[in-house]
């Protein structure tokens, strides 16, 4: 019995580089391009959450939402599968679901969330963990 494939993937391009911003989100970007094959490329790719831009502070990668919709809730996550500020509960939930003892909280703005993430980095309280892993 013949069957039909519901869709066709025409082409898949491998990820060859990613930009990381070393400035706070409210300042002019200080971008660094991380290329595939570099020692930290895997960490960069693993750190990026959906619908976010990747930032770096003191060698720790964290996420800032690419876009925030009007009246959208914001959360900062400092212990989860991804770290940073997330726009919307669904995105925050994706960062903490299956994580033992996640650490996250709602915030009023991206700037405040980023400040709290950077303070947690300064205090050594950031932890990116695999979901569903035993602690």
């Amino acid at each position: 019995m013949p069957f039909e494939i519901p869709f066709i993937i025409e082409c898949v391009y491998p990820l060859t580089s990613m930009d990381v911003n070393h400035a706070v989100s409210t300042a002019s970007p200080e971008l660094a391009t991380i290329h595939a094959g570099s020692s930290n490329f895997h960490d960069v790719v693993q750190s990026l959450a959906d619908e976010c831009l990747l930032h770096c502070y003191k060698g720790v990668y964290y996420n800032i939402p690419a876009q925030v919709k009007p009246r959208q809730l914001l959360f900062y996550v400092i212990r989860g599968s991804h770290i940073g500020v997330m726009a919307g509960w669904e995105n925050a939930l994706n960062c903490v679901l299956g994580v033992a003892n996640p650490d996250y909280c709602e915030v009023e703005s991206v700037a405040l969330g980023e400040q709290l993430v950077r303070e947690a980095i300064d205090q050594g309280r950031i932890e990116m963990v695999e979901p569903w892993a035993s602690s």
Side-chain angles (χ1 to χ4, degrees), residues 24 64 85 109-122:
V24 294
I64 295 293
V85 182
S109 69
V110 171
L112 177 58
E114 184 174 24
Q115 176 186 337
L116 293 169
V117 168
R118 284 179 169 237
E119 287 174 6
I121 292 170
D122 287 338

Side-chain angles (χ1 to χ4, degrees), residues 1 8 35 40 42-44 46-47 49 52 54-55 61 64 66-67 71 74 84 112 119 121 123 131:
M1 170 180 244
I8 297 174
H35 296 279
N40 57 343
H42 180 356
D43 292 339
V44 169
Q46 291 294 104
S47 298
C52 288
L54 200 59
H55 286 246
Y61 299 109
I64 295 293
Q67 178 182 350
R71 294 185 302 279
L74 296 167
L112 177 58
E119 287 174 6
I121 292 170
Q123 297 164 1

Side-chain angles (χ1 to χ4, degrees), residues 57-58 60 78 117-127:
Y57 177 64
K58 295 186 175 181
V60 176
I78 59 174
V117 168
R118 284 179 169 237
E119 287 174 6
I121 292 170
D122 287 338
Q123 297 164 1
R125 296 186 302 119
I126 291 286
E127 191 173 4

Side-chain angles (χ1 to χ4, degrees), residues 36-86:
S38 63
S39 60
N40 57 343
F41 186 73
H42 180 356
D43 292 339
V44 169
V45 172
Q46 291 294 104
S47 298
L48 183 61
D50 292 340
E51 302 177 28
C52 288
L53 304 172
L54 200 59
H55 286 246
C56 186
Y57 177 64
K58 295 186 175 181
V60 176
Y61 299 109
Y62 66 92
N63 293 275
I64 295 293
Q67 178 182 350
V68 178
K69 297 174 185 166
R71 294 185 302 279
Q72 190 172 28
L73 297 177
L74 296 167
F75 298 85
Y76 78 98
V77 178
I78 59 174
R79 178 177 161 74
S81 61
H82 293 89
I83 303 303
V85 182
M86 305 299 156

Side-chain angles (χ1 to χ4, degrees), residues 6 17 30 63 65 89 101:
S17 67
E30 296 175 15
N63 293 275
W89 171 241
N101 304 309

